[in-house]
Amino acid sequence: MKALIQNDKTPLVVIARSARMLVESANRGGFDVTAFDQFGDGDTRMGAAHFCLLNDLSTDTVISTIESLNIEQQPLVIYASGVDNNPDLLLQLQQRYQLLGNSAQSVHQVRNPQLFFRLLDDLNIAYPSISYGSPIGHNCLLKRTDSEGGLGVSRASSSSEGDLQAGCYFQQKLEGIPFSVLFLADGKSSRIVGFNTQWIVADNPGQPYLFQGMANRYDLSDQNQRLIETWITNIVVATGLQGLNSIDCLDVDGELFVLEINPRPSASVTLYDLDYAHGLLAEHINCFTGEAWSDAQKQSQVRGTWVVYAPADLQIHKHLKWPLWVSDQPAINSVFNCGEPLCTLQASADTVTLVKQKLMQRCAMMTNLLLDSSRKFESA
């Protein structure tokens, strides 16, 4: 596949709300990419051979931007966050170009709650009880399928029934530990890349399940690891999923429940990319070419990531010095409202606990740098 892209000069386009992760992995595999995203962070622009900033991920915007490239050959297209919840865009991408990602049909099977939970029933896979009519008791969540990162999850109330719209459902809230599993699939079989601990933003009543970060370890018994492997393979066979995907689960005192499938490369790719000689994007591409997956070279240390949300309304100024452990570095003069995702922190350590501690320390340090930079600019 690498030879196809490089020697035949077939353009490779990556599209996501934030494409930095795909661009970095592409660089490790030796691929030149044209990146489309909505942030235009410095590390994304530096890593991409060409970059296009998108105002939104609507079908018209994405397709017209690809067409404006005036390329002779149809591009190969890989997508990540923000694309899989737009069925019309997915359909247009697969009809117009060579899509190296899940088809609109496969995505519909796992993103549509009626189809997905019916499939889990057929496969005898456990999940928290759901309802499409009214909240389930007093401990219930309202979920939307057109969002990501926990933005579409809220606590349901007795008045929530009127809020239920297409693509929404109620789900029983179980007390357990959330984790995710990154895996590769070729439509017929699967291979687990890793099990991930997940963290949510603390003390955020308005968005109680907002994604904070993750680490590339989660301890499961051998029996539960085999159970997850069976579940993933059965879902892949039933839906034809391909490429890098992830599954969100809940561990309730050793009893496992499936929450949802993310049918595209997820943020956890960053945690494992260094374990593969040519990066995980190359393994993703192999899922569509029939080439064998490479074996990972596991590292001893735990890796983690942490999202920094803007601590106040602020602007990024040129005198701000970014530490080396900061990814998704915003462009100079970028403006953020309080609470918006601003950058991502990286850390490694011997245990998940130590990684989380280091990430929290770095988050406090980064927050101070941002606020101090903003104060210096305002007083200048």
Side-chain angles (χ1 to χ4, degrees):
M1 190 62 178
K2 181 178 178 181
L4 171 64
I5 294 173
Q6 301 292 15
N7 295 340
D8 292 350
K9 303 301 180 183
T10 304
L12 176 61
V13 174
V14 297
I15 308 168
R17 195 177 309 284
S18 172
R20 186 264 310 168
M21 171 189 73
L22 296 178
V23 169
E24 287 183 346
S25 187
N27 288 340
R28 295 199 67 243
F31 303 119
D32 291 332
V33 296
T34 295
F36 294 5
D37 82 3
Q38 292 183 267
F39 290 94
D41 295 329
D43 31 6
T44 305
R45 291 176 182 269
M46 288 183 61
H50 304 283
F51 176 80
C52 298
L53 183 66
L54 301 178
N55 292 325
D56 54 60
L57 290 173
S58 67
T59 303
D60 288 343
T61 297
V62 173
I63 298 300
S64 63
T65 305
I66 295 177
E67 295 301 314
S68 71
L69 298 176
N70 292 321
I71 50 182
E72 296 181 0
Q73 292 180 282
Q74 284 194 338
L76 304 166
V77 175
I78 298 174
Y79 66 85
S81 61
V83 177
D84 55 311
N85 54 19
N86 186 338
D88 180 63
L89 173 57
L90 278 179
L91 195 58
Q92 290 294 320
L93 289 174
Q94 74 183 46
Q95 289 176 347
R96 293 169 177 264
Y97 316 112
Q98 185 173 347
L99 188 63
L100 301 181
N102 285 307
S103 68
Q105 293 80 0
S106 292
V107 171
H108 182 61
Q109 285 184 278
V110 298
R111 295 283 296 188
N112 179 288
Q114 285 89 349
L115 295 179
F116 181 58
F117 292 114
R118 190 183 309 150
L119 172 64
L120 296 187
D121 284 332
D122 293 341
L123 297 176
N124 196 31
I125 296 175
Y127 60 90
S129 300
I130 60 163
S131 168
Y132 304 109
S134 57
I136 305 169
H138 299 291
N139 203 19
C140 187
L141 302 173
L142 176 62
K143 293 189 171 185
R144 297 197 338 254
T145 60
D146 61 349
S147 63
E148 58 195 26
L151 290 170
V153 184
S154 59
R155 294 187 179 93
S157 65
S158 57
S159 60
S160 294
E161 186 170 350
D163 297 331
L164 201 62
Q165 302 172 353
C168 296
Y169 60 96
F170 296 108
Q171 187 165 55
Q172 179 187 14
K173 181 180 181 297
L174 299 178
E175 297 301 328
I177 303 173
F179 69 96
S180 69
V181 186
L182 182 66
F183 64 93
L184 290 159
D186 61 7
K188 299 177 182 178
S189 60
S190 65
R191 175 188 288 185
I192 289 179
V193 176
F195 299 88
N196 313 304
T197 297
Q198 292 185 311
W199 304 302
I200 59 175
V201 175
D203 301 323
N204 189 340
Q207 295 176 325
Y209 293 94
L210 184 63
F211 177 76
Q212 180 77 84
M214 59 173 56
N216 62 341
R217 296 286 193 282
Y218 185 76
D219 291 331
L220 286 171
S221 66
D222 291 343
Q223 180 181 355
N224 274 341
Q225 287 192 33
R226 290 192 296 269
L227 180 63
I228 288 288
E229 290 173 358
T230 299
W231 284 356
I232 290 174
T233 296
N234 288 344
I235 291 172
V236 166
V237 172
T239 61
L241 287 176
Q242 291 181 272
L244 284 162
N245 303 265
S246 67
I247 184 169
D248 290 340
C249 302
L250 193 67
D251 183 347
V252 182
D253 297 325
E255 186 177 3
L256 305 186
F257 298 85
V258 167
L259 300 177
E260 65 181 15
I261 292 276
N262 296 304
R264 38 78 181 171
S266 70
S268 57
V269 167
T270 300
L271 301 175
Y272 299 95
D273 204 57
L274 293 174
D275 294 341
Y276 293 82
H278 301 290
L280 269 172
L281 193 71
E283 304 304 318
H284 175 87
I285 292 172
N286 287 343
C287 296
F288 300 88
T289 63
E291 296 180 47
W293 296 317
S294 303
D295 292 328
Q297 300 173 340
K298 289 293 184 181
Q299 304 297 315
S300 59
Q301 285 207 310
V302 179
R303 301 190 193 103
T305 64
W306 193 271
V307 178
V308 175
Y309 294 92
D313 296 344
L314 51 82
Q315 186 174 8
I316 303 300
H317 306 296
K318 63 181 180 180
H319 58 264
L320 178 62
K321 303 299 182 183
W322 296 101
L324 295 176
W325 33 261
V326 178
S327 299
D328 302 316
Q329 299 175 9
I332 295 172
N333 296 326
S334 297
V335 176
F336 292 87
N337 295 322
C338 182
E340 289 185 329
L342 191 147
C343 62
T344 306
L345 312 182
Q346 314 285 343
S348 60
D350 291 334
T351 67
V352 172
T353 299
L354 290 175
V355 162
K356 186 176 183 181
Q357 290 175 356
K358 185 180 287 190
L359 287 167
M360 293 176 69
Q361 292 168 355
R362 289 181 171 180
C363 184
M365 188 184 307
M366 194 67 243
T367 298
N368 289 333
L369 284 173
L370 289 165
L371 292 175
D372 186 53
S373 172
S374 182
R375 284 192 291 266
K376 286 182 178 179
F377 178 80
E378 291 172 357
S379 62

